[in-house]
């Protein structure tokens, strides 16, 4: 049997007096929310033409007015250039994006979404949003307070981000 969060915190406090375990409340909830969100959307992703990380790359490309530099995609999404490069290679193989060397900076790669990539986003993303509307409907009047608290949390964590 697993211990509750309160019991785990109490054990840490008993074994390591003075250790501040308060972050466990927030970080534990973030991880749980992330897991529950992924689990709720899994059925939609199972039959999808792209994986969740690939969709995350395609969404900003979907409405970009022109080519996007690959490293900017990585920076905007907060993921490594290597991860973006691997995902872009898979998307290119399947015809969802096109990559070309930048005319301005030969070290950079410009990425554009193709019609197939646009179709994949247009087929999947609205369904994901509809499911998220269902999932979050239970917040009711608390929605604004939740958004405010999460916005504040994002600001606090962004201020401590060594990569900003």
């Amino acid at each position: 049997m697993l211990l509750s969060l309160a019991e785990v915190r109490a054990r840490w406090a008993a074994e390591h007096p003075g250790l501040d375990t308060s972050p466990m409340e927030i970080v534990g909830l973030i991880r749980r929310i992330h897991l529950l969100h992924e689990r709720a959307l899994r059925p939609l992703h199972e039959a999808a033409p792209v994986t969740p990380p690939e969709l995350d790359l395609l969404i900003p490309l979907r409405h970009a007015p022109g080519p996007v530099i690959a490293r900017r995609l990585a920076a905007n999404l907060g993921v490594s250039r290597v991860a973006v490069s691997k995902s872009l290679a898979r998307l290119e193989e399947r015809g969802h994006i096109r990559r070309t060397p930048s005319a301005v900076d030969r070290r950079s790669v410009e990425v554009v979404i193709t019609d197939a990539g646009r179709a994949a986003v247009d087929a999947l993303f609205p369904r994901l949003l509809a499911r998220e509307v269902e999932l979050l409907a239970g917040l009711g009047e608390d929605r604004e307070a939740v958004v405010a608290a999460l916005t504040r949390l994002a600001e606090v964590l962004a201020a401590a981000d060594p990569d900003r």
Side-chain angles (χ1 to χ4, degrees):
M1 179 172 120
L2 292 177
L3 300 175
S4 71
L5 176 62
E7 292 168 324
V8 170
R9 287 185 67 193
R11 296 251 176 120
W12 274 107
E15 293 177 25
H16 300 279
L19 181 64
D20 183 2
T21 61
S22 63
M24 293 174 68
E25 291 174 313
I26 294 173
V27 174
L29 283 171
I30 291 169
R31 288 182 175 152
R32 180 160 170 71
I33 290 165
H34 178 71
L35 175 67
L36 291 169
H37 179 256
E38 282 188 337
R39 199 179 299 160
L41 297 182
R42 189 177 303 138
L44 295 172
H45 284 293
E46 287 174 352
V50 294
T51 66
E54 291 169 346
L55 182 64
D56 289 343
L57 289 171
L58 289 174
I59 289 169
L61 294 172
R62 170 65 178 86
H63 296 287
V68 176
I69 301 294
R71 76 170 167 266
R72 285 200 190 119
L73 268 175
N76 287 348
L77 294 171
V79 295
S80 74
R81 287 189 204 175
V82 172
V84 166
S85 181
K86 288 179 180 180
S87 289
L88 290 176
R90 288 190 302 270
L91 287 167
E92 187 174 40
E93 286 172 11
R94 295 195 319 271
H96 294 297
I97 59 119
R98 191 172 46 257
R99 295 186 294 179
T100 57
S102 170
V104 177
D105 180 0
R106 289 307 222 186
R107 296 171 298 164
S108 297
V109 174
E110 294 179 343
V111 183
V112 294
I113 194 167
T114 64
D115 289 341
R118 194 172 290 106
V121 172
D122 290 355
L124 181 58
F125 192 58
R127 293 174 48 222
L128 291 172
L129 285 176
R131 179 66 177 124
E132 290 172 337
V133 166
E134 291 172 12
L135 292 170
L136 300 175
L139 288 174
E141 293 177 10
D142 294 331
R143 182 185 179 85
E144 286 184 34
V146 170
V147 171
L150 290 173
T151 299
R152 178 67 182 127
L153 177 59
E155 291 167 353
V156 167
L157 294 177
D161 184 356
D163 293 334
R164 44 173 241 158

